[in-house]
Amino acid sequence: MNPWSSLFKASLAAALACFMIIEPETALESSRAGIRLWFTSVLPALFPFFVVCDLMVGLGLVQFLGVILEPVMRPLFRLPGEAGFVVAMGFTSGFPVGAVLTRELYEHGALSGKEAERLASFTNNASPLFIIGVVGTGLLHNPVAGYLLASCHYLSNILVGIITGRNAPSGRATTRRARNLLLQAIVELEKSRQRKGLGELLGWAIRKAIMNVTAVGGFIVVFSVLTSALATLGVTSGLAHLLQLFGLSYPAATGLGVGLFEMTLGSQALAA
C-alpha cells in the first residue's frame, strides 16, 4: 500500500475528529441534518426498491431479462443482457440503486470485474424525481430547467456507457435467435430461480435491504459532517474563488464548489 495514501487517509480522519471536538454544535447539527435527510427522503424512497430488486434477483427475473435484452446490451454497451436490468433501475430509481445492483450481479457471477466497473460508471444516476421535482420545480421553480438538466445528465451517462463499451473487448457473442428468445428466457428463469418459498425470499430481501439502506444512511451522515467541516474551514469558499478563474460568478462558483461534495446542498446554494 502507498504510505502517502495511508498518511492522507489517517490525516483526514484525524482532522474530521478534531473538527467534531472543536465545533461540536456544528458537527451535531450537520449530523442531525444528514439523519433527517436519510429518514424523511432516502429511507422511504430506497427501501422498497431494494426489497423488490432483491426479490427479482432471487426469483430469477434478472436472468429472464438478461436473455431478452442480450441482443441490445451486447452491441451497444458490450455488456451481458442482465446489465439491462441495472440500466433501467439505475436511470429511474436514482442513487445508489445502480451501484447496489451492479454489485449484486457481480457477486452472482453475471458480470466480470471490468464489466461491473463499466456498468457502475454510467448507471449510478440521480433519479428523475430528484432532478425534475426537487431541483427543477422545488429549488429553481422552473420545471423546464429540470427537464433540461435531466436530459444532459442521462444523455451524458449513456454516452459514457457507449464510449467505454467501444474500448472494451467484445466478450462472448450471443448465439440466441430472436424467435427463441422468450422460450430461452423462460428456461433461464426456471434454472436460476432460488428454491425457497416466497416468504423466505421476502425475509431475506428485507434483511438485505435494511443492511444496504442503513449503510447509505451512514455515508450521508458522514458526508454531511464532512461538508460542514469544509465550509467552516473555508475550503468551499476557496474552491469557489478557484472556479471563478473559469469565468463563473461567485454565487455560481460557490454552488458548484459545494455540489462537488454534496449534490443537494450544491443545488440549494445555486437556487439561492
Side-chain angles (χ1 to χ4, degrees), residues 28-50:
L28 183 60
E29 183 54 38
S30 60
S31 179
R32 284 173 177 165
I35 291 176
R36 282 196 299 268
L37 175 64
W38 174 76
F39 186 75
T40 59
S41 300
V42 177
L43 177 61
L46 290 185
F47 182 74
F49 274 111
F50 283 164

Side-chain angles (χ1 to χ4, degrees), residues 65-149:
L65 292 174
V67 176
I68 299 295
L69 296 174
E70 181 90 14
V72 177
M73 295 300 299
R74 187 64 67 180
L76 191 60
F77 301 112
R78 291 189 179 172
L79 290 169
E82 289 86 346
F85 172 68
V86 182
V87 173
M89 297 300 293
F91 276 78
T92 56
S93 305
F95 302 111
V97 173
V100 171
L101 294 178
T102 300
R103 187 198 66 186
E104 289 281 342
L105 293 187
Y106 173 71
E107 290 178 349
H108 282 79
L111 297 172
S112 67
K114 292 296 183 181
E115 288 174 337
E117 290 175 1
R118 289 194 287 112
L119 181 59
S121 71
F122 72 97
T123 58
N124 195 36
N125 309 313
S127 69
L129 179 63
F130 175 80
I131 299 179
I132 299 171
V134 177
V135 179
T137 305
L139 296 177
L140 300 178
H141 306 291
N142 187 351
V144 176
Y147 286 110
L148 177 62
L149 290 171

